[in-house]
Amino acid sequence: MVQPGILESLSLLITRRKLASGELSCLYLPRDKEVLDKKSAFKLLKKDEAVFKKFKDSTKLSDETDLAFTSRVLKMLNSLPIKDDKKVNNQPTSKTVMATSPEKEKNLVVKG
């Protein structure tokens, strides 16, 4: 059973973005950090303890284990809407996209 409002709550914290290359990235909104995969986005959410606690307390089912909750949230990340806002004020935006490891981190200029 999907709890009403969990997708909306999650979309206030994480959004997906289409990059110029066509790949999808996830943007963790409270810290304005963009990562290349959903697991990294979820890790950012978990590291932000106060935000994660509030999200978890309001969306975790009473009989749900932590593992089941994590699994459910990770699956829901695929359902988040994709933003295609490559320009801010008609200017290309430059974003640092964090990969799963610091040595893979790269600077991307997103062009419209």
Side-chain angles (χ1 to χ4, degrees), residues 77-107:
L77 287 172
N78 290 328
S79 301
L80 291 174
I82 298 170
K83 305 261 183 189
D84 199 12
D85 53 351
K86 296 176 184 168
K87 290 185 177 184
V88 176
N89 297 328
N90 291 325
Q91 298 297 318
T93 57
S94 178
K95 275 276 185 199
T96 298
V97 178
M98 297 183 337
T100 53
S101 60
E103 58 272 0
K104 293 181 182 178
E105 194 169 302
K106 55 188 173 182
N107 245 345

Side-chain angles (χ1 to χ4, degrees), residues 17-25 34-36 86 92-98 104-111:
R17 182 176 288 169
K18 192 171 190 173
L19 301 175
S21 65
E23 293 180 358
L24 292 176
S25 66
E34 193 166 9
V35 292
L36 292 177
K86 296 176 184 168
T93 57
S94 178
K95 275 276 185 199
T96 298
V97 178
M98 297 183 337
K104 293 181 182 178
E105 194 169 302
K106 55 188 173 182
N107 245 345
L108 294 178
V109 175
V110 183
K111 299 182 182 195

Side-chain angles (χ1 to χ4, degrees), residues 5-111:
I6 187 170
L7 193 57
E8 292 81 12
S9 296
L10 189 58
S11 69
L12 294 174
L13 300 170
I14 299 172
T15 189
R16 295 187 310 160
R17 182 176 288 169
K18 192 171 190 173
L19 301 175
S21 65
E23 293 180 358
L24 292 176
S25 66
C26 292
L27 178 64
Y28 179 61
L29 299 170
R31 301 283 183 245
D32 195 32
K33 291 198 178 193
E34 193 166 9
V35 292
L36 292 177
D37 59 78
K38 64 183 185 177
K39 287 183 181 180
S40 296
F42 186 70
K43 284 180 185 179
L44 285 173
L45 173 59
K46 284 182 77 171
K47 280 184 180 180
D48 203 344
E49 293 176 12
V51 174
F52 182 69
K53 181 177 180 355
K54 184 177 179 182
F55 172 71
K56 186 177 176 182
D57 289 348
S58 66
T59 58
K60 186 178 176 205
L61 302 174
S62 59
D63 60 345
E64 191 171 38
T65 65
D66 286 343
L67 183 61
F69 174 74
T70 298
S71 177
R72 183 166 62 104
V73 172
L74 285 171
K75 287 177 187 174
M76 292 186 127
L77 287 172
N78 290 328
S79 301
L80 291 174
I82 298 170
K83 305 261 183 189
D84 199 12
D85 53 351
K86 296 176 184 168
K87 290 185 177 184
V88 176
N89 297 328
N90 291 325
Q91 298 297 318
T93 57
S94 178
K95 275 276 185 199
T96 298
V97 178
M98 297 183 337
T100 53
S101 60
E103 58 272 0
K104 293 181 182 178
E105 194 169 302
K106 55 188 173 182
N107 245 345
L108 294 178
V109 175
V110 183
K111 299 182 182 195

